[in-house]
Amino acid sequence: MVRVPFVYNKTYSTPRRPFEKERLDQELKLIGQFGLRNKHEVWRVRYTLAKIRKAARDLLTLEERDPKRLFEGNALLRRLVRIGVLEENKMKLDYVLGLKVEDFLQRRLQTQVFNVGLAKSIHHARVLIRQRHIRVRKQVVNIPSFIVRLDSQKHIEFSLQSPFGGGRAGRVKRRNAKRAAGGGDAAAEDEE
């Protein structure tokens, strides 16, 4: 049997200078503002943005009527508009260079759940997503970094199986209901 080699791609790149105070403070602020778990999540978004900006810079070096620039440039712009990072009235490659990390972090499912009002805080939003309480359209999503497209933004809601979405009650609520139905006997047994 032939073994197929794994192909690994980088998902983030570490900063060149590990102890630059301004960058460290800025990363910590982003982690707090968007409820991220660690610096890797910031670096991953920064790496994605760097790749997109590099593609835009390379396309800007080509002539305006170049078929490659027209085709790949439109594809890049449409993709950025679809995920909601770029506005439709700014569909030019020049505006891609002006994108910031915050624009991408704003499109994460975790941030969107908090903005919609399903969670009390950005950290609560992450917990709800990881515990499979949130769905986008009909699909339960349990990845906080899921990028929400513009057309899916209206369809973020609680899962049908979730106690918040009308599903079966949670373990503690079921236990309390059982105690209330059974009377004070269970409470007396717990005390002894």
Side-chain angles (χ1 to χ4, degrees):
M1 191 168 109
V2 178
R3 292 186 69 192
V4 179
F6 288 107
V7 178
Y8 293 106
N9 290 329
K10 283 170 61 173
T11 56
Y12 69 92
S13 62
T14 55
R16 286 197 187 116
R17 295 181 173 174
F19 303 110
E20 202 172 15
K21 179 138 178 51
E22 295 87 42
R23 184 189 49 76
L24 288 171
D25 292 342
Q26 184 189 15
E27 285 173 353
L28 205 59
K29 186 176 174 218
L30 286 175
I31 288 172
Q33 184 184 350
F34 293 99
L36 306 178
R37 187 174 55 143
N38 52 29
K39 299 278 179 88
H40 288 217
E41 293 192 336
V42 177
W43 296 340
R44 186 174 61 209
V45 175
R46 193 167 279 163
Y47 185 65
T48 307
L49 176 61
K51 285 197 290 190
I52 288 169
R53 289 185 54 162
K54 184 178 188 310
R57 271 200 315 271
D58 291 346
L59 291 171
L60 280 169
T61 58
L62 302 172
E63 290 180 31
E64 191 120 354
R65 295 275 145 231
D66 193 309
K68 181 180 178 181
R69 176 173 171 170
L70 291 172
F71 183 74
E72 290 184 15
N74 281 340
L76 178 68
L77 292 170
R78 270 200 322 274
R79 197 166 72 235
L80 291 174
V81 167
R82 195 172 63 206
I83 65 171
V85 176
L86 206 63
E87 294 171 22
E88 278 200 46
N89 57 358
K90 294 184 175 180
M91 279 190 69
K92 284 192 171 180
L93 287 172
D94 299 326
Y95 291 112
V96 175
L97 299 179
L99 289 175
K100 297 192 293 289
V101 175
E102 289 89 342
D103 299 331
F104 284 88
L105 291 173
Q106 203 67 22
R107 299 306 308 167
R108 297 173 89 238
L109 180 60
Q110 182 180 354
T111 314
Q112 293 299 318
V113 166
F114 176 57
N115 291 344
V116 167
L118 298 177
K120 296 173 187 167
S121 72
I122 197 88
H123 305 291
H124 185 224
R126 189 180 188 99
V127 172
L128 287 176
I129 294 165
R130 283 304 297 160
Q131 293 176 353
R132 301 174 62 82
H133 290 297
I134 303 293
R135 68 183 170 132
V136 180
R137 294 184 186 265
K138 293 182 180 178
Q139 181 71 47
V140 173
V141 182
N142 69 336
I143 290 137
S145 63
F146 176 82
I147 298 294
V148 181
R149 291 182 177 175
L150 271 182
D151 55 342
S152 301
Q153 190 170 346
K154 297 184 286 293
H155 304 285
I156 298 172
E157 49 205 12
F158 285 117
S159 165
L160 297 175
Q161 282 78 34
S162 165
F164 301 113
R168 183 177 176 210
R171 178 181 59 83
V172 175
K173 194 167 192 172
R174 286 197 312 268
R175 187 188 66 199
N176 291 341
K178 189 175 173 186
R179 277 189 185 164
D185 301 341
E189 287 173 14
D190 287 346
E191 289 175 8
E192 292 175 7

